[in-house]
């Protein structure tokens, strides 16, 4: 026979007495203890106990007896629907989780986190948090400056849930290569042709793409404007760097400068960026290029955004799904006003 | 010993005499015949012959002798760079192709086509065209109303080429299912819960998602606002259709009506649309649902746009690549002002 709870609407919690502490809190990680054997439940916790039939009913301040349907219809609490769905999903996967707030937790995760998820087999009393979890609906935009280490759960319009592992990801590599001196080059529309540079510019440093096969000792290379701007700034080709950058801006707008910042930062970290166009990204990257002949798999797909960018969950789903499908990690490079770059990776996660 | 051409800059063609007609036109499909043995070449054709060393040089109106580099540096003709790259790529794959214009062709493809590509082994004189080919750079936007049957070649910033097969694609299916009468339902934030409807609503008609497993005879279903708006309009749930649509508009804006138009059109064609969120699309579709128990693979990913939409090639690359990776076909549903839907599929193609 289940217990009844009392809905304290002002406090936004459901209080349950009798042996609730032992039955729900101590053994199964719901709520936080009050005096005696009473506990307080967050609305999602109470809804879950109602849903499972563990709690018989919740009685509101006016004395009305609520079952699962009528309790849920009140949408008790901010983002109730999506938070409940994620709470129930993780519970059904065998995890305990608490609202990311005191007094559920002595030291709750900050930021925009909704829940603290405990390691499998652990609960709120064990002092260990596996990750902070943020829950959003697929129509909720996420400003880039709200990205935080942890897990992001996105509930789609049909109530399926996708989990993303969000973490900082600093690219670094070993693809160092020396550059030639002032090779002849022509700027043509939105690309640059470098006429018969030393083979190493392509074969070791991996700039450009040969105009025809690789059978020549000094293949003529087609370079992107980004590659050319970088090479020109280092004196490796005989074009004026500012002319190349101007052309970049004229065909791409301010996006060109952001992408050049990221391109340059990656090259300075000895990572080779090549175009990510075929994957709809800005770059794919190779950390350890020894030669193009023996090129490994590219590891990252990089998308460049300004630091103030606001993500749409659907675009995140698309990027991360595609990256996963081609065995790469999706990385977002957020470029600040002063030219600093923040790197975040998002990967699909199955809890 | 190669021939020389004369660059008729006013006409925008390169004329070659001697035995050019036999050498270049009749046997290898370059240019169009003039009087005697002379032929006229488009700049891309002349550049290709220069590149291969078949043409020694091109002499301009002022008497200057141009080699491949100096001829190309003039960027002779609109979109010269990207058109040359695609022309050379298809030639290297063994295809003949001509500018999509008279007098290269008696009956050239219209629209925005740049080239007519002939069937393998055929040339301009054989009266057969394999497909019309449009060439763009990855930074060139494409208005939806310029989509046309044929092939779209996109040259990325590093001069790699992706080919897309563009064609009309009318979805149709056999997933017909009857609907129940006025099931109880609640509108909650941006989704709808249908309380214990007949099992068939999920199991045969594939609406919603059960709140928990499938073990129940009458599982409570969570439906998207689109599903709910459709079901409400048909009297299958006890919500006011306009209330559901209003909620849709309030969380999604005018996009909701466009998506509802496409959702409704697909259902009317006996195709089941479910959310495409995990693929970053609007819908994935099932043409032949007999039961959810024996659900096949979904065939299409559908993205909804207004008829006046302008595509960015990078987004096309992302969508088509992802769809290919999950063995589905990417379809764009373009919704006109009057509610008509134009359907276009894009698929990667290796010529």
């Amino acid at each position: 026979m289940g217990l009844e709870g009392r809905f304290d609407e002002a406090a936004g919690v459901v209080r349950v007495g009798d042996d609730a502490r032992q039955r729900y809190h101590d053994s199964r990680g719901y709520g936080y203890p009050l005096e005696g054997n009473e506990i307080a439940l967050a609305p999602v916790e109470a809804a879950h106990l109602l849903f499972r039939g563990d709690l018989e009913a919740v009685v509101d301040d006016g004395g009305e007896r609520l079952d699962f349907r009528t309790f849920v219809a009140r949408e008790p609490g901010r983002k109730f629907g999506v938070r409940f769905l994620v709470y129930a999903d993780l519970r059904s996967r065998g995890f305990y989780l608490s609202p990311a707030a005191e007094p559920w937790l002595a030291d709750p995760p900050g930021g925009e986190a909704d829940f603290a998820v405990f390691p499998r087999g652990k609960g709120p009393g064990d002092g260990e948090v596996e990750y902070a979890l943020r829950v959003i609906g697929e129509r909720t935009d996420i400003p880039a400056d709200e990205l935080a280490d942890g897990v992001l759960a996105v509930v789609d319009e049909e109530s399926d849930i996708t989990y993303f592992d969000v973490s900082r990801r600093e690219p670094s590599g070993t693809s160092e290569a020396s550059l030639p001196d002032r090779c002849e080059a022509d700027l043509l529309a939105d690309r640059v042709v470098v006429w018969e540079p030393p083979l190493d510019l392509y074969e070791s440093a991996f700039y450009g793409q040969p105009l025809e096969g690789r059978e020549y000792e000094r293949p003529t290379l087609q370079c992107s404007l980004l590659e050319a701007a970088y090479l020109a700034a280092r004196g490796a080709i005989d074009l004026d760097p500012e002319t190349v950058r101007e052309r970049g801006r004229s065909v791409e707008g301010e996006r060109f400068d952001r992408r050049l910042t990221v391109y340059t930062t990656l090259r300075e970290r000895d990572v080779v960026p090549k175009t990510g166009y075929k994957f709809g990204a800005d770059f794919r990257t190779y950390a350890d290029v020894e030669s193009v002949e023996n090129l490994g798999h590219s590891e990252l797909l990089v998308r460049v955004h300004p630091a103030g960018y606001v993500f749409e969950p659907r675009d995140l789903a698309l990027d991360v799904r595609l990256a996963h499908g081609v065995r790469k990690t999706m990385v977002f490079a957020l470029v600040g006003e002063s030219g600093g770059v923040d790197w975040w990776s998002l990967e699909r996660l199955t809890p």
Side-chain angles (χ1 to χ4, degrees), chain A:
Chain A
M1 160 75 201
L3 301 177
E4 281 192 4
R6 280 159 296 114
F7 192 6
D8 178 345
E9 295 179 67
V13 295
V14 173
R15 294 168 198 274
V16 196
D18 282 329
D19 58 349
R21 175 165 181 163
Q22 187 272 324
R23 271 169 79 170
Y24 301 147
H25 177 75
D26 296 351
S27 65
R28 288 158 62 205
Y30 289 92
Y32 59 87
L34 299 169
E35 280 179 37
N37 279 324
E38 203 180 26
I39 60 169
L41 299 168
V44 287
E45 295 176 312
H48 194 247
L49 288 167
L50 283 170
F51 177 64
R52 293 180 49 89
D54 288 326
L55 207 56
E56 190 89 342
V58 167
V59 181
D60 74 6
D61 295 340
E64 195 182 338
R65 228 168 154 269
L66 306 172
D67 63 4
F68 176 66
R69 176 173 176 182
T70 46
F71 184 71
V72 159
R74 298 250 177 127
E75 302 191 48
R78 196 175 63 93
K79 300 198 296 183
F80 176 80
V82 292
R83 293 174 85 239
F84 173 74
L85 290 169
V86 171
Y87 186 88
D89 184 57
L90 285 168
R91 278 271 173 189
S92 79
R93 292 171 188 265
F95 289 94
Y96 291 174
L97 62 165
S98 284
E102 295 180 272
W104 280 269
L105 293 169
D107 184 21
E112 304 290 323
D114 290 285
F115 295 112
V117 180
F118 306 110
R120 195 176 283 278
K122 306 271 180 181
D126 297 317
E128 229 182 298
V129 169
E130 179 84 4
Y131 50 80
L133 177 69
R134 180 177 180 183
V135 179
I136 60 171
E138 71 159 286
R139 299 182 180 97
T140 308
D141 295 342
I142 316 170
D145 64 7
E146 288 182 7
L147 289 178
D149 270 308
V151 173
L152 179 68
V154 183
V155 182
D156 72 27
E157 62 182 330
E158 286 174 7
S159 305
D160 259 340
I161 305 167
T162 309
Y163 295 90
F164 298 107
D165 188 346
V166 182
S167 50
R168 292 201 178 264
R169 170 78 183 232
E170 298 288 335
S172 66
T174 62
S175 309
E176 203 178 356
S178 59
L179 294 177
D181 201 37
R182 300 189 65 72
C183 298
E184 285 183 39
D186 286 334
L187 179 56
L188 297 177
D190 60 355
R191 58 204 76 227
V192 164
V193 181
V194 184
W195 299 96
E196 304 187 358
L199 180 61
D200 269 1
L201 184 62
Y202 174 69
E203 193 52 42
S204 306
F206 203 9
Y207 288 91
Q209 155 144 293
L211 191 52
E212 179 152 296
R214 297 181 193 167
E215 63 268 39
Y216 297 114
E217 273 180 39
R218 299 177 74 94
T220 287
L221 297 181
Q222 308 163 80
C223 290
S224 71
L225 291 175
L226 288 172
E227 292 176 318
Y230 182 84
L231 290 172
R234 272 142 199 85
I237 59 175
D238 69 355
L239 295 174
D240 171 43
E242 189 52 28
T243 305
V244 180
R245 286 194 295 265
E246 278 303 327
R247 179 66 59 90
R249 285 170 202 136
S250 80
V251 297
E252 224 175 80
E254 59 175 20
R255 196 172 148 246
F256 184 80
D257 285 302
R258 272 198 302 277
R259 296 176 74 227
L260 183 57
T261 297
V262 172
Y263 183 92
T264 302
T265 307
L266 287 166
R267 278 282 181 188
E268 284 169 354
R269 292 173 173 218
D270 297 330
V271 173
V272 174
K274 298 295 280 185
T275 181
Y277 169 76
K278 279 185 204 289
F279 309 105
D282 287 292
F283 304 112
R284 65 186 199 277
T285 65
Y286 299 85
D288 307 297
V289 175
E290 285 182 13
S291 77
V292 172
E293 288 282 306
N294 299 305
L295 197 62
H297 182 72
S298 67
E299 301 89 15
L300 309 180
L301 290 185
V302 178
R303 188 181 286 283
V304 177
H305 286 306
Y309 187 74
V310 176
F311 291 96
E312 288 186 31
R314 216 158 52 121
D315 293 338
L316 287 180
L318 182 53
D319 278 342
V320 174
R321 175 88 191 205
L322 176 63
H324 181 82
V326 294
R327 292 174 297 122
K328 304 184 198 301
T329 300
M330 190 70 214
V331 170
F332 295 94
L334 305 170
V335 182
E337 294 286 330
S338 58
V341 183
D342 255 9
W343 308 89
W344 289 96
S345 70
L346 265 79
E347 295 179 86
R348 278 204 300 177
L349 177 91
T350 307

